[in-house]
Amino acid sequence: MSRIQSVMQQLAAQNRQALIPFITAGDPHPGITVKLMHALVQGGADVIELGVPFSDPMADGPVIQRASERALAHKVTMRGVFAMVAEFRTTNPTTPVVLMGYANPVEAMGYEEFAKSAIAAGVDGVLTVDMPPEEAEESAKVFKAHGLDPIFLLAPTTPESRVKAVAELASGYVYYVSLKGVTGSANLDVADVKAKLDVLKQYLSIPIGVGFGIRDAATAKAVAQIADAVVIGSRLVQEVELGEAGLAERLRVFLAEVRAAMDSARI
């Protein structure tokens, strides 16, 4: 059982939902990423999604696009991201880490080499935004063989055939994109999300996380009542943009407020 699967099972047994924050590796600079990861855990993160900076992050809105640009300006590479995860693992052997990014850097390295290096660094899952299930059989097979959970996106517009394909390949959890658009856009309709999740649960036996529109504790609480996990990205990256002074503590405090709100949904 992977770290992700273990954490998800433990939370389900406690009737709690996973809190999954996202930050971009190397933003605002490589030297602070591990410190920020630890701050997220201190704030209540159950799983960390660590963005791999990419020059054309097509699914991301301007906030996360700028994060990639800042990281790339520091020449952050996939190997550099592995090094950050390995450093994080020296003092945190338990919190799952998912690399979220795009297919090009993974394919450039090769699935086998990527999977071996990721596992050696302490990575637990891979979410490749532009890798649909129809093209992911080979990569998912390699990832699973090395102990990595392949994680997929589903959207309001995903057809039934693709949901079934994801159900065959995915492990760990599935990330449901709550909005039509890019990260950080619009406001989500919780009732509509619930209706879509009810349909997805007919096909999926693994946890479903919801992201792409969660910006505060109140929204996180509402989503925690209908989903297995809450994913927050753009809102955290906005904190990074405010400056490095006190950044780790700001992230910790914000996430702690979100975690408290999510837990209050169970009362």
Side-chain angles (χ1 to χ4, degrees):
M1 182 183 298
S2 73
R3 266 187 289 245
I4 296 173
Q5 294 164 337
S6 177
V7 164
M8 291 296 187
Q9 284 192 11
Q10 291 172 24
L11 290 168
Q14 299 165 9
N15 191 30
R16 300 175 74 222
Q17 289 68 44
L19 175 54
I20 308 178
F22 167 97
I23 58 172
T24 298
D27 178 35
H29 62 81
I32 198 173
T33 297
V34 173
K35 180 180 179 180
L36 298 184
M37 292 171 72
H38 286 301
L40 296 175
V41 174
Q42 292 162 9
D46 298 295
V47 178
I48 293 174
E49 283 186 358
L50 190 61
V52 178
F54 186 58
S55 57
D56 187 21
M58 65 196 78
D60 294 302
V63 171
I64 294 178
Q65 286 183 23
R66 291 193 296 268
S68 272
E69 291 170 1
R70 290 190 294 269
L72 290 172
H74 288 285
K75 304 187 184 307
V76 174
T77 64
M78 184 70 80
R79 296 285 184 191
V81 175
F82 289 152
M84 294 174 197
V85 177
E87 182 182 345
F88 174 75
R89 282 280 171 249
T90 61
T91 50
N92 184 318
T94 58
T95 303
V97 175
V98 172
L99 297 190
M100 184 172 183
Y102 294 83
N104 185 282
V106 177
E107 294 191 343
M109 184 174 288
Y111 298 146
E112 282 283 347
E113 178 61 26
F114 170 84
K116 289 178 182 177
S117 298
I119 283 294
V123 174
D124 301 284
V126 183
L127 199 171
T128 309
V129 175
D130 54 347
M131 181 75 78
E134 296 88 347
E135 299 177 13
E137 286 191 21
E138 180 185 352
S139 61
K141 181 178 179 181
V142 172
F143 293 168
K144 288 181 177 179
H146 287 278
L148 289 172
D149 283 320
I151 297 165
F152 290 86
L153 295 174
L154 293 175
T157 54
T158 302
E160 179 184 2
S161 59
R162 182 166 285 180
V163 175
K164 290 180 177 178
V166 166
E168 290 290 324
L169 296 176
S171 63
Y173 62 94
V174 168
Y175 186 144
Y176 177 70
V177 176
S178 61
L179 304 167
K180 297 176 184 177
V182 295
T183 56
S185 61
N187 295 306
L188 62 81
D189 182 331
V190 175
D192 182 63
V193 172
K194 182 182 185 305
K196 296 289 174 49
L197 294 186
D198 287 343
V199 174
L200 293 178
K201 288 175 182 176
Q202 298 175 25
Y203 302 95
L204 297 165
S205 59
I206 60 177
I208 304 174
V210 172
F212 271 54
I214 301 168
R215 307 186 61 80
D216 53 32
T219 312
K221 178 178 179 178
V223 171
Q225 295 178 58
I226 61 172
D228 302 303
V230 173
V231 186
I232 302 181
S234 294
R235 176 63 182 81
L236 296 176
V237 178
Q238 284 178 326
E239 286 294 327
V240 176
E241 288 192 312
L242 293 177
E244 187 176 340
L247 175 57
E249 180 63 8
R250 294 202 310 273
L251 292 183
R252 185 197 68 77
V253 169
F254 175 80
L255 216 60
E257 292 173 353
V258 171
R259 176 78 264 177
M262 288 172 59
D263 287 344
S264 72
R266 300 181 298 126
I267 299 173

